[in-house]
Amino acid sequence: MTRKRRGWLLLLLAGAALIYGLKLPHAFTLSALEGDRARLAAIVSGHPLPAAVLFFLLYVVVAAFPLVPHIPMSLAAGALFGFWAGTLLVSFASTLGATVAFLLTRIFFRDPVEQMFRDRMEPLKAGVERNGAIFLFSLRLVPFVPFFMVNLLTGLTRIPARTFYLASQAGMLPATALFVNAGAAWRNGIRPETVMTPRVLASLILLALFPWAARAAVRKIRTDPSAGPWRKPRHFDRNLVVIGAGSAGLVTAYLAAALRARVTLIEGGRMGGDCLNTGCVPSKALIKSARIAHLARKAAGFGVEVREISIDFSRIMDRVRRVIETVAPHDSEDRYRSLGVEVIRGTGRLVTPWEVEVEGRRLSARTIVIAAGASPRIPDIPGLSGVRFYTSESIWSMTERPGRLVVLGGGPIGCELGQAFSRLGSAVTLVERGERILKKEDPEVSALLEGIFREEGMEILTGHRTLRVERAEGELRLVVAGTAGEQALPFDALLLALGRVPRTTGYGLEEIGVRISPDGTIGTDPFLATSHPHIFACGDVAGPYQFTHAAAHQAWYAAVNALFGDLWRFRANYRALPWCTFTDPEVGRVGLSEEEARRKSISFEVTRFSFSELDRAITDSAGTGFVKVLTVPGTDRILGATLVGEHAGDLLGEFSLAMTHRLGLEKILSTVHAYPTWPEAARSVAGVWKRAHAPEALLEWVRRYHALRRRR
């Protein structure tokens, strides 16, 4: 413990000792004060200044520690010093005492509580950052709210001490004046309860609510579209219109229909969006074919002789298309119409904040959800416009396998498709501008995958920027520059995998003034509402994640908040959102990585388990990779988990479940897992954590107990 903390701890102990040494809990009750009122009044009359100073100091101690009720002391201030002097004493003493309690909480408890309850503290901290002063001021106005609890809770946040003091001083003044006035009346023989009437107390509560009501009214005026140039319809054709039939839009429409709302779903392209047609489904089908080819090459290691491997790329792409066709009915117009959703094919355009125009029709809705998705990012590279290139959307039109494929971008899309084409026989060069691939993962993850890619024959160029595309000597080349200078990479096909850009243009957002964030997404609040409070956005167009399951997760909040937001709203929660990169081995993560935890200055412990020690991985000759879990120091509470290995995406669910329902590693360890299976890795890493946190002192006594038993 630091010297500063030791000093504060001594002050804390001294204050508690003073309170109990002077028997203040008994002395400052209404009955005790009434019996001693005449004697105390005589002391104050004879020695007014010393009495005021002593009373001030005692009140500071009383306000700082929840051991003495402060209301009797406020009454005593009025009875002994009169209204004006008593109000002055109590106002400053109570604020000073509250600030002491606030600072003690911040010094001794804030960091440990943040570590233990980081996810629960985030909404409180965010709320205090937005409304700290007004929130504190309102609580202080209500005399029924335990002031000491307010001191403790705000001490756990990062509200500045000066803001705390000023808001407390102003907020407690009305209640202080009320109680001191009651005490002054008490001196003249009027009972306090005749002054502190229910009507007066109710007035304080209404006064506390006034700042929030005024703030809400101002926000309503500023954000209500009816305050702009548009006329709000008196009646609406439907409850909800959804623009976009990808994952986010489909789930939103499904939920709205299930909740018996009248909902219209508008889609100008193919039902199912990117995930079904150009993303998750086709890419995983291609990856499966590539993995089969890779396993065939490794078959000899399993005692199986495969003499010749032939890659029929056209048949592979035919299979990809069949997989899409098999999944498509799940997202089809017919299915959603059978669920009660009105499906309109066409490009929807917002003409007012409540109306969408599509195919010559104007539809009005009380709420609108935008789920327009995203499209591949196309960089401005000299010479690019003169050649045919591919993106994650257009690559499925390939009919022949490229002999030389250059992949620009080392994120999940580039790594997944690059490895797949390499395993299917293409010579693949992956170019990444950053210092490593998969830069959102920990460096050891990037290094492991890069090593595997190189072993499989891929060329990996990190730290290279793209200069231009050129045609020379009858071939196309991508010219890049690294530390060794320029390098020309000949290619037969060029794949751009540089991320995706939210679709925010072409359907009226600009005309009605929907705010766009600096990162290009539609700006939303924690409830997924846009700058127009009845228009919501979810999925890739809203960010911050561009995953199908993240879009579906957001869609629940968007649908419920859109339909029932006037009654109650739900804040979108991303605390245990998992994601997976489907390379081989797979990379899965939920929660914090080591790098993120260090960047955010969050304390953690790391527990690791290698798949090379898992029996099922050994039987499958798939021991590459590891499980890494971050926990709160000294506890089994999971902050994050990273898995690299076969089935990492499947194994990730157990850790996501644990984090969602606040289950620690102890619970995973006590859960029976079938043997030999891959999920045993979760139990094994929990066992490693348990051994590292074994109660050594207790085990020593157990050892002595067993030794004693052997001698008898």
Side-chain angles (χ1 to χ4, degrees):
M1 184 180 293
T2 65
R3 180 179 300 179
K4 180 179 178 181
R5 289 196 173 191
R6 283 197 299 269
W8 279 109
L9 183 59
L10 289 175
L11 177 63
L12 178 66
L13 295 175
L18 177 63
I19 289 173
Y20 280 106
L22 297 177
K23 299 181 179 180
L24 292 181
H26 172 72
F28 288 99
T29 61
L30 283 177
S31 58
L33 287 172
E34 189 164 17
D36 293 338
R37 189 174 57 185
R39 183 173 60 86
L40 292 172
I43 295 174
V44 171
S45 178
H47 308 280
L49 184 59
V53 172
L54 178 61
F55 184 89
F56 181 88
L57 295 176
L58 286 176
Y59 204 109
V60 169
V61 174
V62 167
F65 303 99
L67 305 175
V68 177
H70 67 280
I71 292 179
M73 284 205 65
S74 299
L75 295 172
L80 298 176
F81 299 98
F83 175 75
W84 293 108
T87 300
L88 186 67
L89 285 172
V90 173
S91 179
F92 284 95
S94 60
T95 306
L96 182 58
T99 305
V100 170
F102 166 84
L103 292 173
L104 289 173
T105 302
R106 174 161 293 183
I107 291 170
F108 288 105
F109 302 114
R110 186 178 67 185
D111 291 342
V113 169
E114 280 191 348
Q115 292 295 333
M116 288 291 294
F117 304 103
R118 182 179 64 87
D119 53 312
R120 298 186 185 182
M121 287 294 295
E122 287 301 326
L124 176 62
K125 288 163 60 179
V128 169
E129 287 178 5
R130 292 194 307 270
N131 309 303
I134 189 173
F135 178 71
L136 181 58
F137 176 77
S138 300
L139 288 178
R140 295 301 198 195
L141 283 170
V142 184
F144 305 118
V145 177
F147 283 1
F148 189 77
M149 293 303 300
V150 176
N151 302 337
L152 294 182
L153 288 175
T154 50
L156 296 175
T157 69
R158 300 196 175 269
I159 185 173
R162 180 180 178 181
T163 301
F164 175 88
Y165 181 89
L166 294 175
S168 298
Q169 182 87 54
M172 288 192 290
L173 184 58
T176 296
L178 173 66
F179 291 126
V180 173
N181 182 54
W186 187 24
R187 180 171 59 177
N188 297 323
I190 302 174
R191 297 294 300 176
E193 54 266 25
T194 63
V195 179
M196 297 184 295
T197 63
R199 179 176 295 181
V200 172
L201 297 177
S203 299
L204 282 177
I205 296 175
L206 291 175
L207 183 62
L209 296 176
F210 175 76
W212 296 97
R215 185 186 181 96
V218 171
R219 184 165 57 243
K220 178 70 173 175
I221 293 172
R222 288 179 176 176
T223 59
D224 191 347
S226 61
W230 306 282
R231 182 181 297 276
K232 184 177 181 179
R234 297 186 62 183
H235 303 285
F236 299 96
D237 302 330
R238 50 200 39 81
N239 300 97
L240 179 64
V241 164
V242 183
I243 299 177
S247 177
L250 290 172
V251 174
T252 301
Y254 177 94
L255 289 170
L259 293 169
R260 301 300 186 267
R262 186 176 183 188
V263 55
T264 297
L265 177 64
I266 301 172
E267 174 56 60
R270 289 178 287 181
M271 294 287 290
D274 300 324
C275 179
L276 170 64
N277 299 291
T278 62
C280 311
V281 173
S283 65
K284 302 314 167 280
L286 181 73
I287 288 170
K288 180 65 175 181
S289 294
R291 180 168 171 75
I292 294 297
H294 180 68
L295 290 175
R297 297 186 185 98
K298 295 173 58 180
F302 294 86
V304 178
E305 194 69 33
V306 178
R307 298 189 180 278
E308 183 179 353
I309 300 172
S310 176
I311 305 295
D312 190 331
F313 189 75
S314 63
R315 289 177 61 187
I316 289 174
M317 297 305 283
D318 285 342
R319 176 182 174 272
V320 169
R321 284 185 282 273
R322 288 197 306 273
V323 169
I324 294 173
E325 291 169 359
T326 303
V327 177
H330 301 167
D331 300 342
S332 67
E333 296 176 50
D334 290 341
R335 176 172 183 249
Y336 273 78
R337 288 193 175 110
S338 71
L339 295 171
V341 178
E342 179 188 24
V343 181
I344 300 178
R345 302 306 301 275
T347 301
R349 184 175 185 83
L350 290 156
V351 290
T352 76
W354 299 275
E355 296 175 304
V356 180
E357 194 171 78
V358 56
E359 296 299 304
R361 298 173 58 188
R362 180 170 288 203
L363 315 176
S364 66
R366 178 170 289 277
T367 54
I368 297 170
V369 172
I370 300 171
S375 55
R377 185 184 303 276
I378 308 299
D380 184 15
I381 301 174
L384 181 64
S385 60
V387 301
R388 182 182 182 184
F389 58 86
Y390 295 94
T391 67
S392 59
E393 288 186 352
S394 61
I395 199 167
W396 311 109
S397 64
M398 274 189 178
T399 56
E400 296 182 1
R401 179 188 63 195
R404 299 168 299 181
L405 174 67
V406 171
V407 180
L408 193 54
I413 295 175
C415 288
E416 288 180 5
L417 295 180
Q419 186 184 38
F421 274 91
S422 175
R423 288 180 165 186
L424 293 174
S426 298
V428 175
T429 301
L430 190 150
V431 181
E432 167 58 40
R433 185 185 183 93
E435 295 303 315
R436 57 189 179 90
I437 61 174
L438 296 179
K439 60 184 178 182
K440 290 187 178 181
E441 307 297 339
D442 283 332
E444 62 178 318
V445 176
S446 303
L448 177 60
L449 265 294
E450 184 175 329
I452 290 172
F453 289 169
R454 293 184 189 278
E455 288 178 6
E456 293 185 5
M458 294 173 60
E459 183 179 4
I460 308 297
L461 300 178
T462 55
H464 283 68
R465 57 190 177 91
T466 302
L467 300 180
R468 61 188 179 276
V469 176
E470 63 182 20
R471 187 182 298 273
E473 300 178 2
E475 62 182 6
L476 293 171
R477 297 174 179 176
L478 180 72
V479 181
V480 299
T483 55
E486 290 190 10
Q487 182 178 356
L489 307 174
F491 64 85
D492 300 308
L494 174 63
L495 172 62
L496 304 180
L498 298 168
R500 298 174 62 78
V501 181
R503 295 188 181 102
T504 59
T505 60
Y507 51 96
L509 296 185
E510 307 93 332
E511 286 79 356
I512 67 168
V514 172
R515 183 178 66 86
I516 306 299
S517 298
D519 64 359
T521 60
I522 295 178
T524 60
D525 65 13
F527 307 97
L528 299 180
T530 68
S531 50
H532 292 309
H534 69 285
I535 299 178
F536 295 78
C538 58
D540 291 0
V541 75
Y545 305 100
Q546 292 188 343
F547 309 125
T548 296
H549 54 279
H553 179 68
Q554 286 183 326
W556 185 92
Y557 293 97
V560 172
N561 289 336
L563 296 174
F564 304 106
D566 291 337
L567 303 175
W568 191 263
R569 297 191 302 167
F570 295 88
R571 183 186 299 266
N573 181 0
Y574 307 108
R575 185 177 61 88
L577 184 74
W579 65 78
C580 185
T581 301
F582 294 91
T583 50
D584 186 11
E586 294 177 355
V587 178
R589 177 153 72 87
V590 61
L592 292 172
S593 66
E594 275 194 75
E595 198 169 46
E596 279 183 336
R598 291 193 180 95
R599 188 169 62 249
K600 295 179 179 179
S601 299
I602 296 174
S603 300
F604 62 90
E605 292 180 358
V606 177
T607 304
R608 299 175 61 96
F609 176 76
S610 174
F611 280 120
S612 63
E613 300 179 40
L614 183 69
D615 290 357
R616 180 54 187 267
I618 294 171
T619 64
D620 291 356
S621 295
T624 300
F626 56 85
V627 181
K628 178 171 63 173
V629 179
L630 274 59
T631 52
V632 174
T635 77
D636 70 335
R637 180 171 166 270
I638 302 171
L639 294 172
T642 298
L643 294 84
V644 183
E646 282 199 19
H647 309 291
D650 300 324
L651 303 180
L652 196 60
E654 189 163 355
F655 293 101
S656 184
L657 175 74
M659 291 185 66
T660 299
H661 298 286
R662 309 182 194 284
L663 306 176
L665 290 177
E666 294 268 15
K667 296 295 185 182
I668 293 178
L669 182 62
S670 63
T671 301
V672 179
H673 293 68
Y675 176 88
T677 59
W678 283 91
E680 279 192 298
R683 189 171 187 273
S684 296
V685 75
V688 173
W689 178 90
K690 185 65 175 179
R691 288 193 296 274
H693 294 81
E696 296 298 336
L698 177 61
L699 291 175
E700 175 59 25
W701 282 104
V702 173
R703 185 193 65 78
R704 294 180 183 181
Y705 168 77
H706 290 311
L708 180 64
R709 296 263 303 190
R710 290 196 300 270
R711 291 196 292 269
R712 293 185 179 180

